[in-house]
Amino acid sequence: MTRAETIAAVRASVARARASGRRIALVPTMGYLHEGHLSLVDRARELADYVVVSVFVNPLQFGPGEDFDEYPRDAARDAAMLETRGADVMFAPSAEALYPRGEPGVSVVPGALADRLCGAFRPGHFQGVLTVVAKLLNIVRPDAAVFGRKDFQQGVLIGRMVRDLDWDVSIELAPIVREPDGLAMSSRNVYLSAAQRDQALSLSRGLFAAKAAFEAGERDADRLCARAEETLTAAGVQPQYVELVEPEWLEPVARAVQGNVLAVAAYIGPTRLIDNVVLE
Ligand code: AMP
């Protein structure tokens, strides 16, 4: 595996691979990798024969008072994990390499999709996400890019960006990877104390309880959300939101149908966690 820290270096590696006829896939991450990220690498290897994984904690997507400074970083560990999983390039640029003038003068401004769910609580977050993803897609020019359903709204927005701006790249969303007890894997789980980790389990448990209620015939969105919320509050967790939405425009629904997504965000102490399930 090659390590690239500049735009020129990653472009040179990709150009060589493309010249030898290889299909390119990109997996954007913020590093401190776990099995969820590595499942995206596996998927990328199925879709392409040259896999670039970017590791970049993007300052643009963190709001004031959020955890940009504390966000866990360990490039050596990430590189070792990517090496064993068969990635071809780890692209880990500095902030100066991606944003030489600091804040970019032009960025990608999402529409109303970015005001829903997490966007309502993190103003500017998805503008920061789309801007860095746009840059990474333009730097690497992959045939496919793989994202996780864990960040469901992010995946929907990225799909919308490439469709609405007519970019020739296929966007793939991979399933959420969970710990054996159901907790969605997240780099931020490292912040949790043992007691907080127990509380954090209420997110997935609440979602699974609501999903089971749907499978048992419940179709009322308020009651399904309340079912999830009960599990959270019983664990002493006040959710930021619990919402049932349709998966294209993230509009809230009143009556649940298959394919709707139940999404939750909650602070566990100072740590903001998200999770979601698809009703089937
Ligand atoms: P992050 O490093 O948190 O920005 O995540 C990078 C990519 O990995 C995003 O596309 C996430 O949706 C995805 N991801 C993070 N956690 C998981 C997980 N538990 N399962 C699947 N994908 C994940």
Side-chain angles (χ1 to χ4, degrees), residues 27-31 33-37 39-40 61 71 146-152 154 174-178 184-188:
V27 179
T29 80
M30 296 205 300
L33 301 177
H34 51 66
E35 200 51 41
H37 297 114
S39 74
L40 308 185
Q61 69 190 69
Y71 199 85
V146 186
F147 299 86
R149 284 189 182 277
K150 158 88 177 354
D151 297 86
F152 182 68
Q154 169 178 291
I176 299 176
V177 176
R178 299 180 178 282
M185 289 191 183
S186 165
S187 305
R188 291 191 168 98

Side-chain angles (χ1 to χ4, degrees), residues 73-92:
R73 294 162 170 90
D74 189 340
R77 175 177 174 276
D78 290 343
M81 290 171 86
L82 290 175
E83 184 103 51
T84 60
R85 221 46 175 246
D88 295 283
V89 185
M90 170 168 142
F91 175 43

Side-chain angles (χ1 to χ4, degrees), residues 20-188:
S20 66
R22 301 217 252 170
R23 262 179 74 82
I24 316 293
L26 171 66
V27 179
T29 80
M30 296 205 300
Y32 210 72
L33 301 177
H34 51 66
E35 200 51 41
H37 297 114
L38 297 178
S39 74
L40 308 185
V41 177
D42 294 346
R43 183 72 189 118
R45 280 164 54 84
E46 288 169 7
L47 295 168
D49 15 53
Y50 194 79
V51 175
V52 181
V53 180
S54 61
V55 172
F56 179 63
V57 184
N58 174 35
L60 288 191
Q61 69 190 69
F62 289 79
E66 292 190 348
D67 58 342
F68 175 72
D69 290 331
E70 299 81 46
Y71 199 85
R73 294 162 170 90
D74 189 340
R77 175 177 174 276
D78 290 343
M81 290 171 86
L82 290 175
E83 184 103 51
T84 60
R85 221 46 175 246
D88 295 283
V89 185
M90 170 168 142
F91 175 43
S94 63
E96 295 68 41
L98 279 202
Y99 304 118
R101 289 173 305 278
E103 284 269 313
V106 171
S107 56
V108 180
V109 182
L113 264 175
D115 300 332
R116 305 188 182 286
L117 301 176
C118 289
F121 300 93
R122 303 186 73 189
H125 169 68
F126 288 113
Q127 180 168 343
V129 169
L130 292 189
T131 300
V132 79
V133 171
K135 286 171 68 73
L136 293 168
L137 289 173
N138 284 326
I139 291 164
V140 175
R141 302 280 207 101
D143 300 284
V146 186
F147 299 86
R149 284 189 182 277
K150 158 88 177 354
D151 297 86
F152 182 68
Q153 184 173 16
Q154 169 178 291
V156 170
L157 272 157
I158 291 164
R160 186 48 55 194
M161 173 173 75
V162 306
R163 248 168 297 154
D164 286 358
L165 302 182
D166 303 303
W167 290 348
D168 191 14
V169 57
S170 131
I171 300 297
E172 176 86 6
L173 295 190
I176 299 176
V177 176
R178 299 180 178 282
E179 302 286 357
D181 59 8
L183 181 68
M185 289 191 183
S186 165
S187 305
R188 291 191 168 98

